[in-house]
Amino acid sequence: MLELTMAAVTAADAGATAGMQMADAPSEPDAVLRVGRDRSVCRLSTPEDWLFVSRVHLEFRCGPDGVWRLTWLRGSQPDPSCEVRLTVGGHAQAQPMTYGGTVPLPRGGSGEVVVQDRAEPRSVNVGFYHEV
């Protein structure tokens, strides 16, 4: 099972947990959890006016081997208006993700994905935990 928690954070609410959302899915082939502005396909949704987040921005998908992979989906613009960083484990340093890139998540691991707006002090923080 992959468990996600998401908080949309602005400079005004830094450190607050109000508005936190949660989602989970079993670790079965082709299970998927999406993050973005489009509530019709995303289990975790950001405010609609946060245009630095694509309609479908991040996709967590379970492969046939039970390994979850994270993809930063390409949006309608050639260049992103945000940065995405991935931290795996509690003490690791955040690593930037490539626009359109995919990375495997560790089995039984945890971490955080941060989508940071380049224009304003706000972010989407998605914590993950892969329960085996």
Side-chain angles (χ1 to χ4, degrees):
M1 167 128 0
L2 184 69
E3 299 172 351
L4 301 178
T5 57
M6 184 190 85
V9 180
T10 64
D13 4 84
T17 57
M20 186 168 285
Q21 299 177 43
M22 299 173 73
D24 60 34
S27 294
E28 298 172 351
D30 292 324
V32 67
L33 292 167
R34 293 183 183 98
V35 177
R37 293 189 338 259
D38 187 342
R39 295 182 191 284
S40 68
V41 293
C42 296
R43 292 272 306 272
L44 298 174
S45 300
T46 62
E48 289 184 28
D49 63 338
W50 284 30
L51 300 180
F52 71 97
V53 177
S54 300
R55 293 194 165 282
V56 182
H57 199 88
L58 301 174
E59 182 176 84
F60 294 81
R61 181 176 294 272
C62 189
D65 53 1
V67 172
W68 284 88
R69 289 167 179 77
L70 168 63
T71 301
W72 178 7
L73 301 169
R74 293 187 69 87
S76 60
Q77 302 300 317
D79 295 314
S81 57
C82 67
E83 297 174 1
V84 175
R85 295 183 309 276
L86 171 67
T87 302
V88 176
H91 305 302
Q93 187 170 9
Q95 299 296 317
M97 282 194 67
T98 303
Y99 187 43
T102 299
V103 295
L105 301 178
R107 290 183 70 99
S110 63
E112 182 178 45
V113 182
V114 176
V115 180
Q116 181 71 52
D117 188 348
R118 288 186 173 152
E120 295 184 41
R122 57 187 178 176
S123 66
V124 176
N125 299 17
V126 180
F128 66 86
Y129 174 69
H130 184 202
E131 181 181 305
V132 281

